[in-house]
Amino acid sequence: MLSIVSARTISQCPSLYLSQFRLRHRQFIERQKYDVKIIEDMEFDEYDTLVSNYLVYSEDGKTALGCSRLTPVTYGCMLKDHFPDLVEDHAIFDSERTWEGTRFCIDNALPADKRRHILQQLAVGYLEFGLSRGADRIIGLMPTLILRSVFARNGIPLTPLGPVRAIGIHSKIQAAAIEITEEAYLAACAVTGITRPLGLIGAQGQVRDVA
């Protein structure tokens, strides 16, 4: 099940909220050796704020198996602050209808078929969440191979925002955007067979309010 965790809902799912920071620690600190803040086996940074929304996949409602963070760029943007040279048009950072997706990860200990299912849930969840918030696009920075496997292979077109560079352990990393449209959402649903993973869009296509 894919859920949204935010400042408004943390009290309803405190275990799930903390679990996604532990998952991030395993994936980014232990596996990829990120040099960022940790506390009690939980990874966090300056972009974990009151305006952050977390898409978290769990089977028991307490243990995060996959997650990603979404934040409006006007409230803080990792690309703008740390990787501005990877984005050619900086006007995108001033748009109130642009969100940034970061800390996308899935528990690597899971079987391949389950990882694929969670990946697709998160990818379609990006579009559903974006539609519910009236977003025009979600931007982010990923290795090019992961950009393709997460989005392009699931029917979600990518718009490159700048050049491909080598960063850290990754030889090819790039900033890109996914455009948030109903057409893109329906196309991704058709490719993945997943619809309404967050339950924000009704059966007739109406968008529901997000807490």
Side-chain angles (χ1 to χ4, degrees):
M1 176 180 177
L2 190 64
S3 303
I4 301 173
V5 181
S6 68
R8 296 182 181 179
T9 64
I10 288 172
S11 62
Q12 302 169 25
C13 50
S15 296
L16 186 61
Y17 173 70
L18 294 176
S19 180
Q20 55 103 17
F21 290 108
R22 295 189 180 98
L23 175 61
R24 283 166 45 176
H25 184 279
R26 295 195 300 274
Q27 300 307 309
F28 297 117
I29 302 295
E30 296 179 13
R31 291 187 65 230
Q32 300 186 50
K33 311 302 181 184
Y34 277 30
D35 183 18
V36 292
K37 301 180 182 69
I38 60 172
I39 182 171
E40 297 179 359
D41 293 330
M42 293 182 285
E43 181 271 321
F44 70 101
D45 63 22
E46 65 267 36
Y47 302 101
D48 292 302
T49 69
L50 291 175
V51 297
S52 298
N53 285 257
Y54 304 92
L55 303 190
V56 187
Y57 186 91
S58 175
E59 293 181 339
D60 61 7
K62 297 179 180 180
T63 306
L65 302 178
C67 64
S68 186
R69 177 179 60 199
L70 294 166
T71 308
V73 297
T74 53
Y75 283 87
C77 179
M78 186 184 297
L79 269 174
K80 178 181 180 180
D81 297 340
H82 297 282
F83 307 101
D85 56 316
L86 297 183
V87 178
E88 294 174 351
D89 184 2
H90 286 194
I92 201 169
F93 297 136
D94 299 322
S95 170
E96 294 183 354
R97 296 169 69 90
T98 297
W99 288 63
E100 182 180 39
T102 51
R103 291 303 191 261
F104 189 109
C105 65
I106 298 168
D107 189 341
N108 68 303
L110 296 171
D113 58 342
K114 182 166 287 188
R115 294 199 307 270
R116 182 66 177 172
H117 175 70
I118 296 171
L119 181 154
Q120 292 177 329
Q121 289 269 332
L122 288 165
V124 179
Y126 262 43
L127 292 167
E128 186 181 8
F129 179 87
L131 286 172
S132 75
R133 286 301 179 94
D136 286 339
R137 67 192 62 82
I138 295 175
I139 64 175
L141 181 71
M142 286 183 173
T144 55
L145 177 63
I146 297 178
L147 280 171
R148 292 194 298 272
S149 65
V150 172
F151 299 109
R153 291 178 187 171
N154 289 302
I156 303 173
L158 291 163
T159 301
L161 298 178
V164 176
R165 296 279 173 82
I167 298 177
I169 65 172
H170 302 293
S171 60
K172 293 182 178 181
I173 199 164
Q174 188 173 36
I178 61 172
E179 302 302 318
I180 305 299
T181 65
E182 184 177 356
E183 292 75 17
Y185 167 74
L186 292 174
C189 291
V191 170
T192 63
I194 292 171
T195 59
R196 298 181 288 156
L198 293 167
L200 301 177
I201 296 179
Q204 305 303 318
Q206 69 274 26
V207 177
R208 299 172 181 171
D209 290 338
V210 182

